[in-house]
Amino acid sequence: MRQKFLISTSIAVIGIIVILGIRQFTQAQDDGFTYAGIEPAPNFPEGLDWLNVSEPLTMSDLEGKIVLLDFWTYGCINCIHVIPELQRLEAEYSEYLVVIGVHSAKFDNEGQTDNIKQFIRRYNIEHPVINDVDFIVWDTYGARAWPTQVLIDPNGKIVGGRAGEGVYEAFQPIIATMVEEYGAAGLLNSEPIAKWIPLSDTESALSFPAKVLVDSPSNRLFISDTAHNRIVITSLDEPSNITIIGSGEQGFVDGDFRAAQFNNPQGLAVGGNTLYVADTGNHAIREIDLSNRTVRTLVGTGEQANRYPPLGGTAPNVALSSPWDVTLADGKLFIAMAGPHQIWRVDLITGETVAHAGSGYENIIDGPLNRAQLAQPSGIDNDGNMLYFADAEVSAIRTASIAPDGMVTTIVGTGLFDFGDVDGFGDEVLLQHALGITVADDGFLYIADTYNNKIKRIDPTTRESITLAGTGEAGFADGAFSEAQFYEPNGIDYANGKLYVADTNNHAIRILDLATETVTTLDFGEGVSTLLGTESPLEPVQTPSTDGNQDGIIHLETQKVTAGEGTLVFDIQIPEGYKLNTLAPFTIIAQSDAIVNIEEENQRFREITPSLPVRLPVHFHRGETTFYADVTVYWCEAIQEELCFIERLSFEVPVIVEENASTTELILPHTLIPPIQ
């Protein structure tokens, strides 16, 4: 336990520069560089586990590189916020910057190398990572908070350090200056590190599913397929019946189910035929119309709030910070907002979006809603009268009144560094970074005790906690509650005598039958092929082809073109009263061959609302061939914009290229026809 050395990560959020036992960023006096170190960076200690490299790195391996050490622990929300900032720096200075993650774990579970591997895969971290389980590197550099960064110059000397978020803004100007000056001096090495080998990942039907939601009236199960950046819907009685919401590409795009994009979506709540999603990586709440199969942003700008804690306002233009889970109560959407350690609420009628509970300071202090202190709330549910939430960083289960003049109270949990796996009553109970909670109709709370790899049951009245299922060992085993194994379960929901669990690191949904006390794994059957992308998850609205083709391919008559430089013309005509969807890309995939030769960068065209017709350059060579191209068009009614369509076009046209043809254009025409309504 290292708590006497550690300060709350909420201090780090503010971005205070901390003294690390090394000098701060200062201008060099003698060597001519604006940023240069004095003390040599110590070599990395032997015996530590390294990830994303074939063998441990040494300082000599890093000679000629600008090195940024990132001290982190994977359950820390502030550390998670830093990941995209580091990735942005790595992309901009890929030749000269090497980021090395120094993982110094807060929780026991986080110190295990296999668990760090899972997190690395989930968040696509490709830079080298050290498992600094005994805080050796941490102590060497005098770190005091998560996250902390230390900068080392190309000569292997320590330039300075800081703690907190805002990494890109703090380091980009410094690194840019260093690249310019050290590059001019011939001291930079642009060669890739030979030992650098990012972890590979395996294909799975689900990828790190984080939350799960049961809607019994509609017979639907909703799953946040988090690392696939999509939402999966399946029938409770027929799991092979799959609907997918989202393209799978990480992004922030509204539109129909195919076009919409998410970024690490997590919590889910449903009201009628509207699904609400905590789109965590986009710092937004998305609203899904399940009837019209469209996605829109309810609140959030797509960027993390730059003020701490964030300011409220009127949806949608309110900046949020890592919304992790959601629940509906009293006509309002309540958000477990992990970033600022608060619970927020959105009035679904007025759009008012404000902090509901939590001062923004990170701790476990009960009291009036606006003065209570929370610590990374990551799971939330309600019974109609009270909000119940899993406060992850204090390993606690707590309550907050739905009424805005109420209180926050704690059921179990005692402190920022009080965690473990102890059943019992009240303050003797220890959990370990619990992320999921559901209220059942038997009056109990069921908890995904994430880092203990267990499902717990808590009586909110007596404050008794018992282990319901799971051995505590990370694994994947069905069977009796006492024999079942989970691997960092995150989301949990109750319905009809069963618990549905998002078993995150097992990439699976587990079902706990409370009557038989057995655990099974949800079997998607033939739906697996849909989840893997080998079958289409949604049937697009079919619009009849003007060409009269019945096989889905638009067969055009033979066209003759002149050899040399030419143009492909995709002449897509949109009828009056309709327009291209302003949220989804018009896409062309064109096949190149020796006759119709297209540069690689022009073989795939993707643009939102391009000017029509779309023209792509091509080089025609003498001979005969058949040209193929696939076009995807998203289009909508131009007035109300409530009804949108998708049309996938496959063109096939015989082509003759000769010396003296009358044109240099190969034209692919098609007129869209609205479906009959």
Side-chain angles (χ1 to χ4, degrees):
M1 186 71 65
R2 309 185 57 81
Q3 60 195 78
K4 68 178 181 178
F5 295 108
L6 307 177
I7 62 175
S8 166
T9 51
S10 64
I11 295 176
V13 175
I14 304 171
I16 294 175
I17 301 298
V18 297
I19 302 300
L20 302 172
I22 56 179
R23 72 194 185 109
Q24 298 299 299
F25 303 118
T26 56
Q27 185 165 343
Q29 301 298 318
D30 302 321
D31 49 24
F33 299 113
T34 304
Y35 300 101
I38 297 175
E39 297 296 325
N43 219 333
F44 301 108
E46 296 181 358
L48 301 183
D49 289 342
W50 284 72
L51 302 169
N52 284 336
V53 288
S54 59
E55 59 184 271
L57 297 178
T58 65
M59 290 308 300
S60 62
D61 292 326
L62 301 169
E63 185 176 349
K65 297 291 188 182
I66 300 167
V67 178
L68 186 61
L69 303 182
D70 175 47
F71 291 85
W72 64 298
T73 185
Y74 73 73
C76 157
I77 189 63
N78 313 110
C79 303
I80 293 173
H81 289 163
V82 165
I83 293 171
E85 296 187 90
L86 294 172
Q87 290 171 333
R88 185 178 175 187
L89 287 171
E90 290 175 288
E92 288 187 20
Y93 302 102
S94 58
E95 290 184 301
Y96 307 117
L97 175 67
V98 175
V99 175
I100 297 179
V102 183
H103 189 275
S104 307
K106 171 184 174 180
F107 292 94
D108 294 340
N109 182 76
E110 292 173 348
Q112 299 178 34
T113 299
D114 285 345
N115 297 344
I116 301 170
K117 284 182 182 178
Q118 295 295 327
F119 187 89
I120 286 173
R121 289 189 172 106
R122 179 173 178 176
Y123 282 89
N124 299 312
I125 297 172
E126 296 188 341
H127 56 248
V129 174
I130 310 168
N131 184 4
D132 184 33
V133 65
D134 294 319
F135 286 72
I136 299 172
V137 185
W138 173 284
D139 286 340
T140 299
Y141 284 89
R144 292 291 182 269
W146 298 287
T148 288
Q149 304 86 37
V150 175
L151 189 66
I152 300 171
D153 71 22
N155 293 320
K157 295 181 180 180
I158 301 170
V159 177
R162 69 184 294 280
E165 300 180 30
V167 170
Y168 181 85
E169 289 75 11
F171 284 97
Q172 190 277 334
I174 297 171
I175 293 171
T177 299
M178 294 177 73
V179 167
E180 180 180 356
E181 294 179 353
Y182 285 90
L187 295 175
L188 289 181
N189 174 14
S190 63
E191 293 297 318
I193 296 174
K195 299 176 182 178
W196 177 68
I197 303 177
L199 290 170
S200 60
D201 203 1
T202 55
E203 188 176 44
S204 57
L206 300 177
S207 182
F208 298 99
K211 299 293 184 182
V212 64
L213 173 70
V214 183
D215 184 28
S216 297
S218 66
N219 191 40
R220 290 181 292 199
L221 178 67
F222 301 93
I223 302 164
S224 287
D225 192 8
T226 303
H228 279 150
N229 302 299
R230 64 187 184 180
I231 307 300
V232 172
I233 309 175
T234 184
S235 300
L236 290 172
D237 56 2
E238 185 51 66
S240 63
N241 183 12
I242 301 290
T243 298
I244 291 176
I245 307 174
S247 69
E249 295 185 26
Q250 189 178 96
F252 186 46
V253 175
D254 289 342
D256 61 39
F257 280 11
R258 288 183 183 273
Q261 293 180 358
F262 302 88
N263 185 352
N264 283 283
Q266 303 241 11
L268 305 163
V270 67
N273 226 21
T274 301
L275 179 69
Y276 300 92
V277 179
D279 193 7
T280 306
N282 280 323
H283 308 284
I285 303 298
R286 314 295 289 280
E287 183 181 72
I288 299 176
D289 186 326
L290 298 169
S291 297
N292 292 324
R293 313 214 305 184
T294 56
V295 179
R296 78 177 187 96
T297 299
L298 176 67
V299 60
T301 63
E303 300 290 337
Q304 183 187 355
N306 58 15
R307 185 185 186 278
Y308 185 88
L311 290 173
T314 302
N317 299 316
V318 178
L320 308 180
S321 181
S322 288
W324 210 270
D325 200 4
V326 287
T327 188
L328 282 166
D330 193 31
K332 299 174 180 63
L333 186 74
F334 291 87
I335 308 167
M337 195 85 76
H341 313 295
Q342 295 176 314
I343 292 171
W344 280 50
R345 70 173 186 267
V346 182
D347 189 310
L348 297 177
I349 296 176
T350 67
E352 180 190 39
T353 305
V354 294
H356 178 77
S359 66
Y361 288 99
E362 181 184 21
N363 211 326
I364 181 168
I365 296 179
D366 293 343
L369 291 174
N370 64 343
R371 296 210 304 267
Q373 295 182 19
L374 318 183
Q376 204 170 311
S378 301
I380 192 168
D381 200 3
N382 78 91
D383 61 4
N385 298 307
M386 187 71 68
L387 300 171
Y388 298 88
F389 62 97
D391 219 11
E393 278 295 292
V394 285
S395 300
I397 302 301
R398 308 176 73 185
T399 72
S401 64
I402 291 175
D405 58 352
M407 305 284 287
V408 170
T409 62
T410 298
I411 299 174
V412 299
T414 55
L416 275 164
F417 295 92
D418 299 336
F419 57 86
D421 186 6
V422 177
D423 290 335
F425 290 86
D427 289 352
E428 68 188 26
V429 173
L430 292 178
L431 308 174
Q432 189 180 182
H433 205 268
L435 292 175
I437 185 170
T438 186
V439 182
D441 57 16
D442 57 10
F444 292 117
L445 306 176
Y446 292 91
I447 310 300
D449 192 4
T450 306
Y451 285 0
N452 282 327
N453 303 303
K454 288 183 175 182
I455 306 302
K456 302 283 183 74
R457 189 188 75 189
I458 294 179
D459 186 326
T461 302
T462 67
R463 301 174 66 203
E464 181 187 22
S465 173
I466 67 167
T467 295
L468 183 72
T471 66
E473 295 294 323
F476 190 12
D478 287 340
F481 279 1
S482 60
E483 300 172 352
Q485 290 185 320
F486 306 88
Y487 194 176
E488 292 196 4
N490 182 327
I492 185 169
D493 199 23
Y494 170 87
N496 305 321
K498 295 180 180 179
L499 295 170
Y500 294 78
V501 175
D503 194 7
T504 302
N505 285 1
N506 278 325
H507 314 290
I509 305 302
R510 317 292 292 282
I511 304 173
L512 284 67
D513 190 314
L514 298 179
T516 63
E517 297 188 350
T518 56
V519 177
T520 57
T521 298
L522 182 65
D523 183 359
F524 292 104
E526 295 180 356
V528 168
S529 60
T530 298
L531 293 170
L532 290 173
T534 55
E535 290 185 3
S536 175
L538 289 172
E539 287 301 320
V541 176
Q542 297 296 323
T543 60
S545 168
T546 56
D547 307 279
N549 295 284
Q550 301 301 316
D551 59 0
I553 299 175
I554 301 173
H555 300 278
L556 300 177
E557 294 183 357
T558 301
Q559 296 186 40
K560 295 182 179 181
V561 293
T562 298
E565 300 300 323
T567 306
L568 299 174
V569 181
F570 293 87
D571 187 15
I572 308 301
Q573 299 289 329
I574 298 179
E576 185 177 355
Y578 293 83
K579 66 176 185 178
L580 289 175
N581 190 324
T582 59
L583 298 173
F586 183 105
T587 303
I588 299 171
I589 300 176
Q591 296 188 20
S592 176
D593 61 21
I595 307 300
V596 179
N597 189 256
I598 310 168
E599 295 290 339
E600 185 174 353
E601 64 267 23
N602 294 319
Q603 292 175 20
R604 289 179 175 269
F605 174 89
R606 181 182 175 89
E607 185 175 317
I608 295 177
T609 59
S611 298
L612 297 179
V614 173
R615 299 175 178 271
L616 299 179
V618 63
H619 192 93
F620 295 118
H621 296 271
R622 289 186 62 185
E624 297 184 13
T625 189
T626 300
F627 175 70
Y628 301 92
D630 293 321
V631 178
T632 302
V633 186
Y634 298 90
W635 53 301
C636 304
E637 287 182 315
I639 307 301
Q640 297 183 4
E641 300 186 5
E642 292 182 352
L643 190 59
C644 293
F645 315 103
I646 177 175
E647 183 155 353
R648 299 184 183 277
L649 312 172
S650 293
F651 288 95
E652 178 181 304
V653 53
V655 180
I656 299 174
V657 181
E658 52 191 23
E659 290 297 334
N660 297 310
S662 60
T663 182
T664 59
E665 294 185 340
L666 179 60
I667 301 174
L668 295 89
H670 182 77
T671 299
L672 302 176
I673 298 178
I676 298 174
Q677 302 178 33

